[in-house]
Amino acid sequence: MSRQANRGTESKKMSSELFTLTYGALVTQLCKDYENDEDVNKQLDRMGYNIGVRLIEDFLARSNVGRCHDFRETADVIAKVAFKMYLGITPSITNWSPAGDEFSLILENNPLVDFVELPDNHSALIYSNLLCGVLRGALEMVQMAVEAKFVQDTLKGDGVTEIRMRFIRRIEDNLPAGEE
Amino acid sequence: MSRPAHKRPEYHKINKDLFVLTYGALVAQLCKDYEKDEDVNKYLDKMGYNIGTRLVEDFLARSCVRRCHSYSEIINIIAQVAFKMYLGITPSVTCHNSSRNEFSLILHKNPLAEFVEELPAGRSALCYCNLLCGIIRGALEMVHLAANVTFLQDRLKGDSVTEIGITFLKKLDEKKYRRKK
């Protein structure tokens, strides 16, 4: 299948700096709106969920990825196709659980945190928590209930940024996913 | 003069849909925070201004743009280089007056509004993409070009195109073109 030809005046590609700075404005606004970091984290996750629910349609239409048959295949698609498409990076996949229901995405660099320094009064803020919501929302639309959470973050002094993914269950087809 | 050294080893090219949906979440949050459309518009402009003052550093470091000798030249760089780099579109440019300080950027496609079919109910005065006005104004101010930037037409309000008006407020002065250090 050929991809839709780009019009002369439009490209699907953009440089990531505007996204990074706009995301920073969003986080700043949420920190003003909510008194504590936990509420900001929750709201970022909720926003990310709503974004993921819509982004997955774009992703499936744009990539040639068919249905994944297991969580390992899903991990490959997330790391090698989706992150590359939407964030311009390819995280590595590590730390599989023996049962094959948990893995980690290791981001050597996270474009969302370019230009960002975490102030001391926001030590509990999970700055890029939108990404966890995006992952959860997108996977729910393909019938996978998962948990996604940051377990390492370079903004907090860790050597890498790590998102831990855990498969919870497959979602029955007759229960439509909805917005939170 | 050699190009300044890159601050980072790589520049990310990304599909813009995550950005567009994230922008939608930002606008939705501001609509929750503020009752009046004028306040949302004001805060989008203010946020955009802050973004523009930082984005222009990235732009100057990465493009080969040097001293510009006319407002027309500046507008063409905004349309053909900056919009292309950061939004993946190339607006058309028109000039409105004989003193050549009033211009428009015509966006035949507006990527920020791609997932928006209409303005939310009760938000008819919302300038959905007002962040862009602030960005342009902030970026220009960092290179000592004061400008008014406003939406003159908006497809979300029923117009056939989206039009951003840019009016430069000061006479061109060569000395002021040195980049801020």
PDB file of all heavy atoms in Angstrom, chain A residues 86-121:
ATOM      1  N   TYR A  86       6.534   9.182  16.840  1.00  0.00           N
ATOM      2  CA  TYR A  86       5.962  10.326  17.552  1.00  0.00           C
ATOM      3  C   TYR A  86       6.942  11.098  18.415  1.00  0.00           C
ATOM      4  O   TYR A  86       6.660  12.228  18.805  1.00  0.00           O
ATOM      5  CB  TYR A  86       4.777   9.870  18.407  1.00  0.00           C
ATOM      6  CG  TYR A  86       3.631   9.389  17.563  1.00  0.00           C
ATOM      7  CD1 TYR A  86       3.253   8.053  17.571  1.00  0.00           C
ATOM      8  CD2 TYR A  86       2.954  10.268  16.723  1.00  0.00           C
ATOM      9  CE1 TYR A  86       2.215   7.609  16.765  1.00  0.00           C
ATOM     10  CE2 TYR A  86       1.922   9.826  15.913  1.00  0.00           C
ATOM     11  CZ  TYR A  86       1.560   8.499  15.941  1.00  0.00           C
ATOM     12  OH  TYR A  86       0.545   8.056  15.147  1.00  0.00           O
ATOM     13  N   LEU A  87       8.080  10.488  18.764  1.00  0.00           N
ATOM     14  CA  LEU A  87       9.050  11.205  19.591  1.00  0.00           C
ATOM     15  C   LEU A  87      10.438  11.229  18.975  1.00  0.00           C
ATOM     16  O   LEU A  87      11.341  11.858  19.522  1.00  0.00           O
ATOM     17  CB  LEU A  87       9.130  10.580  20.995  1.00  0.00           C
ATOM     18  CG  LEU A  87       7.934  10.838  21.909  1.00  0.00           C
ATOM     19  CD1 LEU A  87       8.091  10.084  23.224  1.00  0.00           C
ATOM     20  CD2 LEU A  87       7.774  12.331  22.199  1.00  0.00           C
ATOM     21  N   GLY A  88      10.627  10.538  17.874  1.00  0.00           N
ATOM     22  CA  GLY A  88      11.916  10.552  17.191  1.00  0.00           C
ATOM     23  C   GLY A  88      13.003   9.783  17.912  1.00  0.00           C
ATOM     24  O   GLY A  88      14.181  10.012  17.669  1.00  0.00           O
ATOM     25  N   ILE A  89      12.625   8.889  18.809  1.00  0.00           N
ATOM     26  CA  ILE A  89      13.613   8.090  19.535  1.00  0.00           C
ATOM     27  C   ILE A  89      13.210   6.618  19.484  1.00  0.00           C
ATOM     28  O   ILE A  89      12.056   6.281  19.245  1.00  0.00           O
ATOM     29  CB  ILE A  89      13.732   8.515  21.020  1.00  0.00           C
ATOM     30  CG1 ILE A  89      12.371   8.419  21.722  1.00  0.00           C
ATOM     31  CG2 ILE A  89      14.303   9.916  21.141  1.00  0.00           C
ATOM     32  CD1 ILE A  89      12.427   8.670  23.213  1.00  0.00           C
ATOM     33  N   THR A  90      14.191   5.749  19.715  1.00  0.00           N
ATOM     34  CA  THR A  90      13.920   4.313  19.760  1.00  0.00           C
ATOM     35  C   THR A  90      14.422   3.776  21.092  1.00  0.00           C
ATOM     36  O   THR A  90      15.615   3.502  21.244  1.00  0.00           O
ATOM     37  CB  THR A  90      14.622   3.578  18.602  1.00  0.00           C
ATOM     38  OG1 THR A  90      14.254   4.200  17.369  1.00  0.00           O
ATOM     39  CG2 THR A  90      14.213   2.116  18.564  1.00  0.00           C
ATOM     40  N   PRO A  91      13.541   3.654  22.079  1.00  0.00           N
ATOM     41  CA  PRO A  91      13.990   3.095  23.355  1.00  0.00           C
ATOM     42  C   PRO A  91      14.391   1.631  23.196  1.00  0.00           C
ATOM     43  O   PRO A  91      13.967   0.957  22.257  1.00  0.00           O
ATOM     44  CB  PRO A  91      12.753   3.201  24.264  1.00  0.00           C
ATOM     45  CG  PRO A  91      11.676   3.811  23.460  1.00  0.00           C
ATOM     46  CD  PRO A  91      12.117   3.944  22.053  1.00  0.00           C
ATOM     47  N   SER A  92      15.224   1.159  24.118  1.00  0.00           N
ATOM     48  CA  SER A  92      15.522  -0.270  24.121  1.00  0.00           C
ATOM     49  C   SER A  92      14.563  -0.977  25.077  1.00  0.00           C
ATOM     50  O   SER A  92      13.987  -0.375  25.976  1.00  0.00           O
ATOM     51  CB  SER A  92      16.977  -0.518  24.516  1.00  0.00           C
ATOM     52  OG  SER A  92      17.318   0.240  25.653  1.00  0.00           O
ATOM     53  N   ILE A  93      14.395  -2.267  24.837  1.00  0.00           N
ATOM     54  CA  ILE A  93      13.471  -3.085  25.622  1.00  0.00           C
ATOM     55  C   ILE A  93      14.302  -4.003  26.498  1.00  0.00           C
ATOM     56  O   ILE A  93      15.146  -4.754  25.992  1.00  0.00           O
ATOM     57  CB  ILE A  93      12.572  -3.921  24.694  1.00  0.00           C
ATOM     58  CG1 ILE A  93      11.766  -2.995  23.773  1.00  0.00           C
ATOM     59  CG2 ILE A  93      11.643  -4.810  25.499  1.00  0.00           C
ATOM     60  CD1 ILE A  93      11.116  -3.726  22.629  1.00  0.00           C
ATOM     61  N   THR A  94      14.063  -3.956  27.806  1.00  0.00           N
ATOM     62  CA  THR A  94      14.869  -4.774  28.723  1.00  0.00           C
ATOM     63  C   THR A  94      13.998  -5.308  29.853  1.00  0.00           C
ATOM     64  O   THR A  94      12.818  -4.981  29.966  1.00  0.00           O
ATOM     65  CB  THR A  94      16.000  -3.946  29.372  1.00  0.00           C
ATOM     66  OG1 THR A  94      15.406  -2.902  30.142  1.00  0.00           O
ATOM     67  CG2 THR A  94      16.940  -3.361  28.343  1.00  0.00           C
ATOM     68  N   ASN A  95      14.629  -6.117  30.702  1.00  0.00           N
ATOM     69  CA  ASN A  95      14.045  -6.545  31.976  1.00  0.00           C
ATOM     70  C   ASN A  95      12.708  -7.255  31.815  1.00  0.00           C
ATOM     71  O   ASN A  95      11.761  -6.999  32.545  1.00  0.00           O
ATOM     72  CB  ASN A  95      13.865  -5.349  32.926  1.00  0.00           C
ATOM     73  CG  ASN A  95      15.184  -4.736  33.335  1.00  0.00           C
ATOM     74  OD1 ASN A  95      16.225  -5.393  33.244  1.00  0.00           O
ATOM     75  ND2 ASN A  95      15.169  -3.496  33.762  1.00  0.00           N
ATOM     76  N   TRP A  96      12.652  -8.180  30.844  1.00  0.00           N
ATOM     77  CA  TRP A  96      11.445  -8.986  30.723  1.00  0.00           C
ATOM     78  C   TRP A  96      11.261  -9.823  31.981  1.00  0.00           C
ATOM     79  O   TRP A  96      12.211 -10.380  32.522  1.00  0.00           O
ATOM     80  CB  TRP A  96      11.544  -9.918  29.517  1.00  0.00           C
ATOM     81  CG  TRP A  96      11.167  -9.250  28.238  1.00  0.00           C
ATOM     82  CD1 TRP A  96      12.011  -8.776  27.282  1.00  0.00           C
ATOM     83  CD2 TRP A  96       9.841  -8.981  27.775  1.00  0.00           C
ATOM     84  NE1 TRP A  96      11.297  -8.223  26.258  1.00  0.00           N
ATOM     85  CE2 TRP A  96       9.954  -8.337  26.523  1.00  0.00           C
ATOM     86  CE3 TRP A  96       8.568  -9.219  28.297  1.00  0.00           C
ATOM     87  CZ2 TRP A  96       8.849  -7.928  25.783  1.00  0.00           C
ATOM     88  CZ3 TRP A  96       7.462  -8.813  27.565  1.00  0.00           C
ATOM     89  CH2 TRP A  96       7.606  -8.178  26.322  1.00  0.00           C
ATOM     90  N   SER A  97      10.012  -9.906  32.433  1.00  0.00           N
ATOM     91  CA  SER A  97       9.704 -10.823  33.531  1.00  0.00           C
ATOM     92  C   SER A  97       9.688 -12.249  32.976  1.00  0.00           C
ATOM     93  O   SER A  97       9.454 -12.450  31.782  1.00  0.00           O
ATOM     94  CB  SER A  97       8.340 -10.474  34.127  1.00  0.00           C
ATOM     95  OG  SER A  97       7.332 -10.646  33.151  1.00  0.00           O
ATOM     96  N   PRO A  98       9.926 -13.246  33.856  1.00  0.00           N
ATOM     97  CA  PRO A  98       9.915 -14.634  33.371  1.00  0.00           C
ATOM     98  C   PRO A  98       8.597 -15.011  32.698  1.00  0.00           C
ATOM     99  O   PRO A  98       8.601 -15.764  31.721  1.00  0.00           O
ATOM    100  CB  PRO A  98      10.144 -15.460  34.642  1.00  0.00           C
ATOM    101  CG  PRO A  98      10.854 -14.529  35.563  1.00  0.00           C
ATOM    102  CD  PRO A  98      10.321 -13.155  35.270  1.00  0.00           C
ATOM    103  N   ALA A  99       7.493 -14.462  33.185  1.00  0.00           N
ATOM    104  CA  ALA A  99       6.199 -14.802  32.592  1.00  0.00           C
ATOM    105  C   ALA A  99       5.939 -14.051  31.286  1.00  0.00           C
ATOM    106  O   ALA A  99       4.958 -14.317  30.605  1.00  0.00           O
ATOM    107  CB  ALA A  99       5.082 -14.495  33.591  1.00  0.00           C
ATOM    108  N   GLY A 100       6.817 -13.104  30.940  1.00  0.00           N
ATOM    109  CA  GLY A 100       6.628 -12.357  29.699  1.00  0.00           C
ATOM    110  C   GLY A 100       5.508 -11.342  29.761  1.00  0.00           C
ATOM    111  O   GLY A 100       4.995 -10.919  28.726  1.00  0.00           O
ATOM    112  N   ASP A 101       5.127 -10.921  30.969  1.00  0.00           N
ATOM    113  CA  ASP A 101       4.034  -9.947  31.078  1.00  0.00           C
ATOM    114  C   ASP A 101       4.511  -8.581  31.575  1.00  0.00           C
ATOM    115  O   ASP A 101       3.699  -7.705  31.851  1.00  0.00           O
ATOM    116  CB  ASP A 101       2.927 -10.483  31.995  1.00  0.00           C
ATOM    117  CG  ASP A 101       3.409 -10.695  33.425  1.00  0.00           C
ATOM    118  OD1 ASP A 101       4.646 -10.697  33.642  1.00  0.00           O
ATOM    119  OD2 ASP A 101       2.558 -10.850  34.323  1.00  0.00           O
ATOM    120  N   GLU A 102       5.831  -8.410  31.716  1.00  0.00           N
ATOM    121  CA  GLU A 102       6.376  -7.115  32.122  1.00  0.00           C
ATOM    122  C   GLU A 102       7.671  -6.850  31.377  1.00  0.00           C
ATOM    123  O   GLU A 102       8.475  -7.770  31.186  1.00  0.00           O
ATOM    124  CB  GLU A 102       6.693  -7.089  33.626  1.00  0.00           C
ATOM    125  CG  GLU A 102       5.522  -6.839  34.534  1.00  0.00           C
ATOM    126  CD  GLU A 102       5.988  -6.594  35.961  1.00  0.00           C
ATOM    127  OE1 GLU A 102       6.761  -5.640  36.192  1.00  0.00           O
ATOM    128  OE2 GLU A 102       5.584  -7.380  36.837  1.00  0.00           O
ATOM    129  N   PHE A 103       7.854  -5.598  30.973  1.00  0.00           N
ATOM    130  CA  PHE A 103       9.132  -5.214  30.372  1.00  0.00           C
ATOM    131  C   PHE A 103       9.375  -3.740  30.654  1.00  0.00           C
ATOM    132  O   PHE A 103       8.478  -3.013  31.092  1.00  0.00           O
ATOM    133  CB  PHE A 103       9.156  -5.490  28.858  1.00  0.00           C
ATOM    134  CG  PHE A 103       8.227  -4.611  28.059  1.00  0.00           C
ATOM    135  CD1 PHE A 103       8.669  -3.414  27.512  1.00  0.00           C
ATOM    136  CD2 PHE A 103       6.907  -4.987  27.833  1.00  0.00           C
ATOM    137  CE1 PHE A 103       7.821  -2.597  26.766  1.00  0.00           C
ATOM    138  CE2 PHE A 103       6.049  -4.173  27.092  1.00  0.00           C
ATOM    139  CZ  PHE A 103       6.507  -2.987  26.568  1.00  0.00           C
ATOM    140  N   SER A 104      10.610  -3.310  30.394  1.00  0.00           N
ATOM    141  CA  SER A 104      10.957  -1.901  30.558  1.00  0.00           C
ATOM    142  C   SER A 104      11.363  -1.294  29.230  1.00  0.00           C
ATOM    143  O   SER A 104      12.016  -1.939  28.412  1.00  0.00           O
ATOM    144  CB  SER A 104      12.120  -1.741  31.543  1.00  0.00           C
ATOM    145  OG  SER A 104      11.697  -2.024  32.850  1.00  0.00           O
ATOM    146  N   LEU A 105      10.964  -0.038  29.042  1.00  0.00           N
ATOM    147  CA  LEU A 105      11.448   0.782  27.940  1.00  0.00           C
ATOM    148  C   LEU A 105      12.514   1.709  28.507  1.00  0.00           C
ATOM    149  O   LEU A 105      12.246   2.468  29.443  1.00  0.00           O
ATOM    150  CB  LEU A 105      10.313   1.620  27.343  1.00  0.00           C
ATOM    151  CG  LEU A 105       9.176   0.854  26.664  1.00  0.00           C
ATOM    152  CD1 LEU A 105       7.950   1.746  26.502  1.00  0.00           C
ATOM    153  CD2 LEU A 105       9.634   0.324  25.314  1.00  0.00           C
ATOM    154  N   ILE A 106      13.727   1.632  27.953  1.00  0.00           N
ATOM    155  CA  ILE A 106      14.828   2.473  28.422  1.00  0.00           C
ATOM    156  C   ILE A 106      15.045   3.598  27.410  1.00  0.00           C
ATOM    157  O   ILE A 106      15.406   3.341  26.260  1.00  0.00           O
ATOM    158  CB  ILE A 106      16.129   1.657  28.575  1.00  0.00           C
ATOM    159  CG1 ILE A 106      15.908   0.444  29.487  1.00  0.00           C
ATOM    160  CG2 ILE A 106      17.254   2.550  29.104  1.00  0.00           C
ATOM    161  CD1 ILE A 106      15.569   0.803  30.912  1.00  0.00           C
ATOM    162  N   LEU A 107      14.805   4.823  27.859  1.00  0.00           N
ATOM    163  CA  LEU A 107      15.027   5.987  27.008  1.00  0.00           C
ATOM    164  C   LEU A 107      16.372   6.606  27.379  1.00  0.00           C
ATOM    165  O   LEU A 107      16.523   7.159  28.469  1.00  0.00           O
ATOM    166  CB  LEU A 107      13.915   7.026  27.209  1.00  0.00           C
ATOM    167  CG  LEU A 107      12.520   6.753  26.650  1.00  0.00           C
ATOM    168  CD1 LEU A 107      11.812   5.612  27.366  1.00  0.00           C
ATOM    169  CD2 LEU A 107      11.654   8.009  26.748  1.00  0.00           C
ATOM    170  N   GLU A 108      17.359   6.491  26.480  1.00  0.00           N
ATOM    171  CA  GLU A 108      18.645   7.134  26.752  1.00  0.00           C
ATOM    172  C   GLU A 108      18.478   8.645  26.816  1.00  0.00           C
ATOM    173  O   GLU A 108      19.116   9.323  27.611  1.00  0.00           O
ATOM    174  CB  GLU A 108      19.656   6.778  25.661  1.00  0.00           C
ATOM    175  CG  GLU A 108      19.927   5.291  25.520  1.00  0.00           C
ATOM    176  CD  GLU A 108      20.736   4.727  26.674  1.00  0.00           C
ATOM    177  OE1 GLU A 108      21.471   5.506  27.304  1.00  0.00           O
ATOM    178  OE2 GLU A 108      20.618   3.520  26.945  1.00  0.00           O
ATOM    179  N   ASN A 109      17.640   9.163  25.930  1.00  0.00           N
ATOM    180  CA  ASN A 109      17.278  10.581  26.019  1.00  0.00           C
ATOM    181  C   ASN A 109      15.784  10.716  25.783  1.00  0.00           C
ATOM    182  O   ASN A 109      15.185   9.939  25.051  1.00  0.00           O
ATOM    183  CB  ASN A 109      18.087  11.428  25.029  1.00  0.00           C
ATOM    184  CG  ASN A 109      17.814  11.030  23.605  1.00  0.00           C
ATOM    185  OD1 ASN A 109      18.031   9.884  23.225  1.00  0.00           O
ATOM    186  ND2 ASN A 109      17.326  11.946  22.803  1.00  0.00           N
ATOM    187  N   ASN A 110      15.215  11.694  26.436  1.00  0.00           N
ATOM    188  CA  ASN A 110      13.776  11.925  26.385  1.00  0.00           C
ATOM    189  C   ASN A 110      13.561  13.339  25.859  1.00  0.00           C
ATOM    190  O   ASN A 110      13.830  14.306  26.572  1.00  0.00           O
ATOM    191  CB  ASN A 110      13.197  11.758  27.794  1.00  0.00           C
ATOM    192  CG  ASN A 110      11.730  12.144  27.876  1.00  0.00           C
ATOM    193  OD1 ASN A 110      11.087  12.407  26.866  1.00  0.00           O
ATOM    194  ND2 ASN A 110      11.195  12.184  29.085  1.00  0.00           N
ATOM    195  N   PRO A 111      13.099  13.494  24.610  1.00  0.00           N
ATOM    196  CA  PRO A 111      12.992  14.853  24.063  1.00  0.00           C
ATOM    197  C   PRO A 111      12.042  15.745  24.848  1.00  0.00           C
ATOM    198  O   PRO A 111      12.177  16.962  24.813  1.00  0.00           O
ATOM    199  CB  PRO A 111      12.490  14.633  22.634  1.00  0.00           C
ATOM    200  CG  PRO A 111      11.973  13.249  22.591  1.00  0.00           C
ATOM    201  CD  PRO A 111      12.692  12.477  23.648  1.00  0.00           C
ATOM    202  N   LEU A 112      11.102  15.173  25.592  1.00  0.00           N
ATOM    203  CA  LEU A 112      10.191  16.010  26.368  1.00  0.00           C
ATOM    204  C   LEU A 112      10.915  16.829  27.429  1.00  0.00           C
ATOM    205  O   LEU A 112      10.411  17.860  27.861  1.00  0.00           O
ATOM    206  CB  LEU A 112       9.122  15.152  27.058  1.00  0.00           C
ATOM    207  CG  LEU A 112       7.991  14.624  26.191  1.00  0.00           C
ATOM    208  CD1 LEU A 112       6.936  13.957  27.056  1.00  0.00           C
ATOM    209  CD2 LEU A 112       7.364  15.737  25.367  1.00  0.00           C
ATOM    210  N   VAL A 113      12.073  16.369  27.885  1.00  0.00           N
ATOM    211  CA  VAL A 113      12.742  17.069  28.981  1.00  0.00           C
ATOM    212  C   VAL A 113      13.903  17.938  28.504  1.00  0.00           C
ATOM    213  O   VAL A 113      14.605  18.524  29.328  1.00  0.00           O
ATOM    214  CB  VAL A 113      13.228  16.099  30.086  1.00  0.00           C
ATOM    215  CG1 VAL A 113      12.089  15.211  30.545  1.00  0.00           C
ATOM    216  CG2 VAL A 113      14.415  15.273  29.627  1.00  0.00           C
ATOM    217  N   ASP A 114      14.097  18.054  27.194  1.00  0.00           N
ATOM    218  CA  ASP A 114      15.050  19.060  26.710  1.00  0.00           C
ATOM    219  C   ASP A 114      14.588  20.417  27.218  1.00  0.00           C
ATOM    220  O   ASP A 114      13.389  20.687  27.267  1.00  0.00           O
ATOM    221  CB  ASP A 114      15.077  19.084  25.185  1.00  0.00           C
ATOM    222  CG  ASP A 114      15.734  17.852  24.607  1.00  0.00           C
ATOM    223  OD1 ASP A 114      16.444  17.148  25.343  1.00  0.00           O
ATOM    224  OD2 ASP A 114      15.519  17.587  23.409  1.00  0.00           O
ATOM    225  N   PHE A 115      15.510  21.276  27.565  1.00  0.00           N
ATOM    226  CA  PHE A 115      15.232  22.619  28.083  1.00  0.00           C
ATOM    227  C   PHE A 115      14.642  22.608  29.499  1.00  0.00           C
ATOM    228  O   PHE A 115      14.230  23.646  30.006  1.00  0.00           O
ATOM    229  CB  PHE A 115      14.253  23.431  27.206  1.00  0.00           C
ATOM    230  CG  PHE A 115      14.502  23.388  25.729  1.00  0.00           C
ATOM    231  CD1 PHE A 115      13.589  22.774  24.889  1.00  0.00           C
ATOM    232  CD2 PHE A 115      15.627  23.970  25.178  1.00  0.00           C
ATOM    233  CE1 PHE A 115      13.795  22.735  23.513  1.00  0.00           C
ATOM    234  CE2 PHE A 115      15.842  23.930  23.798  1.00  0.00           C
ATOM    235  CZ  PHE A 115      14.924  23.311  22.976  1.00  0.00           C
ATOM    236  N   VAL A 116      14.540  21.449  30.153  1.00  0.00           N
ATOM    237  CA  VAL A 116      13.804  21.380  31.420  1.00  0.00           C
ATOM    238  C   VAL A 116      14.740  21.140  32.594  1.00  0.00           C
ATOM    239  O   VAL A 116      15.646  20.311  32.520  1.00  0.00           O
ATOM    240  CB  VAL A 116      12.751  20.249  31.384  1.00  0.00           C
ATOM    241  CG1 VAL A 116      12.026  20.143  32.721  1.00  0.00           C
ATOM    242  CG2 VAL A 116      11.753  20.487  30.269  1.00  0.00           C
ATOM    243  N   GLU A 117      14.515  21.865  33.662  1.00  0.00           N
ATOM    244  CA  GLU A 117      15.188  21.598  34.925  1.00  0.00           C
ATOM    245  C   GLU A 117      14.097  21.524  35.988  1.00  0.00           C
ATOM    246  O   GLU A 117      13.254  22.407  36.081  1.00  0.00           O
ATOM    247  CB  GLU A 117      16.160  22.726  35.234  1.00  0.00           C
ATOM    248  CG  GLU A 117      17.228  22.359  36.231  1.00  0.00           C
ATOM    249  CD  GLU A 117      18.267  23.460  36.342  1.00  0.00           C
ATOM    250  OE1 GLU A 117      19.001  23.669  35.350  1.00  0.00           O
ATOM    251  OE2 GLU A 117      18.311  24.123  37.389  1.00  0.00           O
ATOM    252  N   LEU A 118      14.085  20.470  36.763  1.00  0.00           N
ATOM    253  CA  LEU A 118      13.020  20.281  37.737  1.00  0.00           C
ATOM    254  C   LEU A 118      13.307  21.110  38.983  1.00  0.00           C
ATOM    255  O   LEU A 118      14.338  20.927  39.621  1.00  0.00           O
ATOM    256  CB  LEU A 118      12.938  18.798  38.104  1.00  0.00           C
ATOM    257  CG  LEU A 118      11.582  18.213  38.466  1.00  0.00           C
ATOM    258  CD1 LEU A 118      10.595  18.394  37.337  1.00  0.00           C
ATOM    259  CD2 LEU A 118      11.725  16.743  38.801  1.00  0.00           C
ATOM    260  N   PRO A 119      12.413  22.055  39.348  1.00  0.00           N
ATOM    261  CA  PRO A 119      12.667  22.831  40.569  1.00  0.00           C
ATOM    262  C   PRO A 119      12.534  21.966  41.820  1.00  0.00           C
ATOM    263  O   PRO A 119      11.873  20.932  41.817  1.00  0.00           O
ATOM    264  CB  PRO A 119      11.584  23.917  40.539  1.00  0.00           C
ATOM    265  CG  PRO A 119      10.638  23.544  39.474  1.00  0.00           C
ATOM    266  CD  PRO A 119      11.189  22.423  38.672  1.00  0.00           C
ATOM    267  N   ASP A 120      13.180  22.436  42.898  1.00  0.00           N
ATOM    268  CA  ASP A 120      13.254  21.635  44.121  1.00  0.00           C
ATOM    269  C   ASP A 120      11.888  21.365  44.741  1.00  0.00           C
ATOM    270  O   ASP A 120      11.691  20.346  45.388  1.00  0.00           O
ATOM    271  CB  ASP A 120      14.137  22.347  45.159  1.00  0.00           C
ATOM    272  CG  ASP A 120      15.603  22.258  44.785  1.00  0.00           C
ATOM    273  OD1 ASP A 120      15.951  21.360  43.990  1.00  0.00           O
ATOM    274  OD2 ASP A 120      16.386  23.090  45.269  1.00  0.00           O
ATOM    275  N   ASN A 121      10.950  22.291  44.545  1.00  0.00           N
ATOM    276  CA  ASN A 121       9.646  22.101  45.181  1.00  0.00           C
ATOM    277  C   ASN A 121       8.730  21.184  44.375  1.00  0.00           C
ATOM    278  O   ASN A 121       7.551  21.093  44.666  1.00  0.00           O
ATOM    279  CB  ASN A 121       8.971  23.458  45.406  1.00  0.00           C
ATOM    280  CG  ASN A 121       8.798  24.226  44.112  1.00  0.00           C
ATOM    281  OD1 ASN A 121       9.671  24.194  43.240  1.00  0.00           O
ATOM    282  ND2 ASN A 121       7.690  24.920  43.969  1.00  0.00           N
TER     283      ASN A 121
END
